[in-house]
Amino acid sequence: MVRAKQPERYALWGIALLSASLLAYQVLLTRVCALRLHFHFGYLIISNCLLGIGASGTVLALTEHRWKKAPREYIWKFTLSYLVSLGLTWVFLLSFQVPDSLHFTSVGEAVRFGVFNLAAAVPFFFGGTAVGLILTAHAAHVNKVYAADLVGAGLGCLLCPILLWPVGAGGCFLAVALLGFITLAIVAPKPVRRPSLQASGVGGLMCLVLMPFFDAMFPVPGKGFLDLTDTFRAKIAAYSEYSRWSANSRIDLLPMPPQLRFMFCRGARTKGLPLSDQKFILQDGDAGTIISNFSDDPNGLVVLKRSMYSASVRLKEGKKPRVFIIGMGGGNDVWAAKVHGADSVRAVELNRGVVEIHTKVVPHFSRRLFEDPKVSVIVDEGRTALMRETGKFDIVQMTGIDTWTSLTSGAYILAESYLYTQEAIAEMYDHLADGGILQIIRMAAEMETLRLIGNVDAALSKRGASQLPRSIMALSTADQLSAVMVKKGEFTQEEIDSTRLFAARSGIAITYMPGQTLGNIVEDFIRTDKKDEFIAAFPRDISPTTDDRPYFFNFSRWSKPISSAKYMREATNVSQGNPLFIIGQFAFSSLLATLFIVGPLLVFRRRRTAAEAAAAKKQGRELEAEQSERLGLVTFAYDDIDWEDELRVFLEERASFSPDAMVGLEANLRFAGPETMETRIFGRLTAWQNWIFNRPNAVGKDGALQRYGTGQRGDYAMERV
């Protein structure tokens, strides 16, 4: 019995490790781009980097005549190029000066962003070429080779989430390089095997030794400043007191000088009051929150009590309310609940690094919170954690779960947010006890406030709560933040009067109050019975968002994308994102695809047409094997030295094929003609495949399908049909 030749081990191990390295680098790149630029740019750059893999396929098609005689040699060369490019690209990504803010309103910004894109894609090109070579050179066993590729890629995706917490981005990069070094040693052909093993051993050992320290030695730089509001920009210090990576961000703790002390949501009449000692907590260098030392300096709590953090919970003071907080951040919502006598405070924080700041890095800041048995903090996603709760709460509160700095580019308009959809608000509302209050603090721009209220109205309408004008209040502060308070039931006159007095004493503006006429657009929207007509007539898109369409920050009407040009420099507290950026990114990606994929393939097609014309001129003449191969007339031109071995392998492989498969192959070739892809698949391939798979050679007692996976070839009846 003739056994089919198995794929070489180097191909299976090489493609698995190289794919793991590539996918780990891809995941790592999203984190680096989030810190160096903004989180959404990471995904845009990754999409362009995948063009590098596409370009590698084009190169393989154009240079097949060169590499197919010695594929392993070229696999090794491109693996080595991948390793070199990986190191150079990492240095470039960490040192290249990117603009502090990307509005793409100047050629310089666009060019620098484009250069960053292209540099990040270089390792994908070389690594993708090596992967493509392994697959192509072992096409006869592509099922096993591709399976190894998928296994490696899957493990590579897990690498960064596992390693980011203990060794940071720098350590993850060395893990990516380590996989590359191992691959280089495995795929090395005999002439360079010894130096490859030596170089890989030294490089791999250095990666292992430096992995725990590399991130601290060469940290990924962040941004130069943080926009806390549209008028307050804080310069970020050159160093941090604490820095640690997690699977979803890097957490930095920075000192905050007394002159920069700041509190969101505070009333205008509290500006002269002192604030407690503070520090910045930064996520990916731009999602800023402030942690205050209220434990040792409770005087700062006076300001907190007169801020919108306290707007709802103060109405429950003396009633021992149960409070659920989505997004602990610096802890102001938790402190507000505590100082107003909450009987139970359950706070959820997505990033465990933020919780570690409270518990391990500056534990004296939040000591009184974590010593209080009434306060519990869990690391989880807010909406998911709330859904698991079986009890009811008197207050459900969520404050600004995002950051303005991440909104300075148009890419953010397509960022999903499942915390502000109709379904999310309905779940929060359902977890309120009778008379409970849902408070959401967001940006105070008309569009965002209107959309949030529209989502509230849509959610409550499905719950049969139709008295929105009596069940909602809205406040706003000078730092362009707005608190929307929604009660399960109607606000009493006592609660309305108390909130009006609270706003006046604190210097907080009233945007909407039941029974009061203020003459603004928010009031008009809440009180109209024709909200659909109001939304349709509004110049921007404020339609309610759902879990199926969770783009809360997209206020542009895509039916008129060009008209969005006038909003390119609109303040982020007014409008987040612009469709022109998406259109520009599409144009940029299309240009790259044309330059590196479509264009070269068109050139290749022209060359092939010329080769076919040259072959036609040779018709009727005797040709050497090498000349026939160059003209594309033969599939292989075996070398004189290896003729006997090559011919033996050729015959053994063909002899291992089922006769029925050969019949199907010949029939497909014999009756070829002008066709479409549909006729090839449905009219030809499917028909012959069904015939072959129903023959005794496939489904018989000892047929190929019966013995599949056993390592034994099917026992074929060799008669031809």
Side-chain angles (χ1 to χ4, degrees), residues 496-648:
I496 294 171
D497 293 339
S498 175
T499 302
R500 185 182 293 113
L501 183 61
F502 163 75
R505 288 177 174 176
S506 303
I508 295 174
I510 298 174
T511 306
Y512 177 80
M513 187 76 70
Q516 184 173 344
T517 301
L518 300 169
N520 59 54
I521 196 169
V522 173
E523 181 181 278
D524 294 340
F525 181 59
I526 291 174
R527 290 178 175 169
T528 183
D529 294 328
K530 301 178 180 179
K531 288 184 171 54
D532 290 340
E533 294 181 9
F534 187 103
I535 292 171
F538 197 78
R540 309 289 279 274
D541 183 8
I542 58 169
S543 57
T545 57
T546 65
D547 284 348
D548 292 331
R549 185 176 170 270
Y551 306 114
F552 183 83
F553 307 101
N554 177 19
F555 298 105
S556 298
R557 295 190 181 276
W558 284 82
S559 57
K560 299 178 180 178
I562 304 302
S563 63
S564 299
K566 59 185 177 181
Y567 304 122
M568 285 293 285
R569 288 195 172 275
E570 197 169 42
T572 53
N573 64 299
V574 177
S575 171
Q576 294 88 47
N578 197 291
L580 287 185
F581 175 84
I582 303 298
I583 296 172
Q585 176 65 23
F586 174 75
F588 180 71
S589 299
S590 300
L591 176 62
L592 293 181
T594 302
L595 289 175
F596 297 113
I597 300 178
V598 178
L601 288 176
L602 291 176
V603 173
F604 174 69
R605 181 178 180 182
R606 182 176 297 178
R607 289 180 180 176
R608 185 175 63 181
T609 303
E612 291 173 352
K617 294 179 181 180
K618 301 290 184 180
Q619 188 172 359
R621 303 181 188 180
E622 293 184 358
L623 301 174
E624 294 290 338
E626 185 176 349
Q627 191 177 9
S628 299
E629 183 185 26
R630 189 165 57 251
L631 292 172
L633 299 176
V634 296
T635 307
F636 295 103
Y638 297 125
D639 191 87
D640 293 344
I641 299 175
D642 300 322
W643 171 261
E644 293 184 0
D645 286 337
E646 297 283 8
L647 189 61
R648 175 183 57 80

Side-chain angles (χ1 to χ4, degrees), residues 233-282:
R233 169 170 290 187
K235 291 184 178 180
I236 298 174
Y239 71 96
S240 62
E241 297 179 356
Y242 170 84
S243 181
R244 189 161 191 178
W245 288 86
S246 68
N248 56 357
S249 67
R250 190 180 79 181
I251 300 297
D252 293 288
L253 184 69
L254 303 178
M256 196 165 180
Q259 66 271 20
L260 291 180
R261 289 179 185 175
F262 179 84
M263 181 182 289
F264 292 107
C265 304
R266 67 189 296 185
R269 293 191 175 183
T270 67
K271 296 296 184 181
L273 298 178
L275 292 171
S276 304
D277 185 21
Q278 295 179 331
K279 294 183 185 296
F280 268 131
I281 300 177
L282 297 181

Side-chain angles (χ1 to χ4, degrees), residues 118-443:
L118 293 175
V122 173
F124 286 94
F125 170 75
F126 290 114
T129 304
V131 169
L133 278 168
I134 295 174
L135 286 169
T136 308
H138 298 81
H141 309 283
V142 69
N143 55 337
K144 295 181 179 179
V145 178
Y146 188 53
D149 172 57
L150 293 178
V151 171
L155 294 175
C157 289
L158 296 174
L159 191 65
C160 276
I162 293 173
L163 291 181
L164 272 171
W165 183 260
V167 298
C172 283
F173 167 73
L174 292 185
V176 170
L178 176 62
L179 292 173
F181 277 118
I182 298 174
T183 306
L184 185 70
I186 289 174
V187 303
K190 193 171 183 179
V192 294
R193 188 166 299 163
R194 186 172 181 178
S196 296
L197 286 172
Q198 292 173 342
S200 298
V202 173
L205 183 61
M206 290 180 63
C207 289
L208 287 173
V209 171
L210 294 175
M211 196 175 294
F213 319 106
F214 196 72
D215 191 63
M217 295 167 61
F218 304 101
V220 180
K223 306 166 189 68
F225 62 87
L226 177 68
D227 282 330
L228 293 175
T229 71
D230 60 334
T231 59
F232 189 80
R233 169 170 290 187
K235 291 184 178 180
I236 298 174
Y239 71 96
S240 62
E241 297 179 356
Y242 170 84
S243 181
R244 189 161 191 178
W245 288 86
S246 68
N248 56 357
S249 67
R250 190 180 79 181
I251 300 297
D252 293 288
L253 184 69
L254 303 178
M256 196 165 180
Q259 66 271 20
L260 291 180
R261 289 179 185 175
F262 179 84
M263 181 182 289
F264 292 107
C265 304
R266 67 189 296 185
R269 293 191 175 183
T270 67
K271 296 296 184 181
L273 298 178
L275 292 171
S276 304
D277 185 21
Q278 295 179 331
K279 294 183 185 296
F280 268 131
I281 300 177
L282 297 181
Q283 299 181 43
D284 280 340
D286 64 11
T289 186
I290 298 171
I291 180 172
S292 300
N293 187 5
F294 294 131
S295 294
D296 296 329
D297 184 11
N299 291 327
L301 292 173
V302 175
V303 180
L304 187 70
K305 288 182 178 181
R306 296 172 64 180
S307 71
M308 291 194 301
Y309 293 110
S310 301
S312 293
V313 71
R314 56 175 292 280
L315 295 176
K316 301 294 182 180
E317 191 167 9
K319 301 177 182 179
K320 297 183 178 181
R322 297 184 71 242
V323 181
F324 190 93
I325 294 168
I326 298 176
M328 178 180 181
N332 283 350
D333 295 278
V334 184
W335 278 106
K338 176 180 171 61
V339 298
H340 285 95
D343 187 59
S344 169
V345 182
R346 193 161 179 79
V348 183
E349 173 55 48
L350 178 64
N351 199 317
R352 65 170 173 165
V354 173
V355 178
E356 192 172 84
I357 294 285
H358 288 274
T359 58
K360 296 181 180 180
V361 184
V362 286
H364 56 290
F365 273 44
S366 304
R367 184 187 69 254
R368 289 176 55 199
L369 284 183
F370 286 87
E371 290 177 351
D372 191 339
K374 296 178 181 179
V375 176
S376 61
V377 179
I378 59 174
V379 178
D380 203 345
E381 192 278 322
R383 182 175 171 184
T384 303
L386 182 62
M387 290 173 63
R388 287 198 294 264
E389 292 288 340
T390 56
K392 302 290 186 177
F393 296 90
D394 299 293
I395 300 289
V396 175
Q397 189 156 314
M398 181 168 62
T399 300
I401 310 298
D402 63 61
T403 174
W404 287 6
T405 311
S406 287
L407 306 176
T408 57
S409 75
Y412 201 82
I413 63 175
L414 295 183
E416 300 92 342
S417 178
Y418 292 93
L419 286 173
Y420 301 107
T421 63
Q422 298 178 33
E423 293 86 349
I425 291 174
E427 287 164 4
M428 297 176 197
Y429 187 82
D430 289 343
H431 278 84
L432 289 175
D434 290 340
I437 300 173
L438 166 63
Q439 176 174 303
I440 300 175
I441 296 180
R442 288 292 317 156
M443 313 310 172

Side-chain angles (χ1 to χ4, degrees), residues 440-453:
I440 300 175
I441 296 180
R442 288 292 317 156
M443 313 310 172
E446 288 179 349
M447 292 177 299
E448 189 158 336
T449 304
L450 292 174
R451 169 164 279 171
L452 178 59
I453 293 172

Side-chain angles (χ1 to χ4, degrees), residues 31-109:
R31 306 309 325 130
V32 173
C33 291
L35 187 61
R36 293 240 57 203
L37 301 168
H38 301 296
F39 79 92
H40 40 272
F41 285 126
Y43 301 101
L44 291 173
I45 289 176
I46 289 299
S47 67
N48 288 328
C49 286
L50 294 181
L51 290 174
I53 294 180
S56 70
T58 303
V59 169
L60 290 178
L62 294 175
T63 60
E64 183 179 5
H65 61 286
R66 295 185 181 181
W67 59 258
K68 71 178 180 180
K69 292 183 179 180
R72 186 165 183 174
E73 176 185 344
Y74 280 89
I75 291 169
W76 176 81
K77 288 180 178 179
F78 277 101
T79 302
L80 178 61
S81 300
Y82 166 69
L83 264 174
V84 174
S85 67
L86 199 63
L88 295 176
T89 299
W90 186 256
V91 173
F92 176 84
L93 294 180
L94 267 60
S95 59
F96 184 69
Q97 294 295 319
V98 295
D100 287 331
S101 60
L102 289 169
H103 294 278
F104 295 95
T105 53
S106 70
V107 176
E109 284 187 3

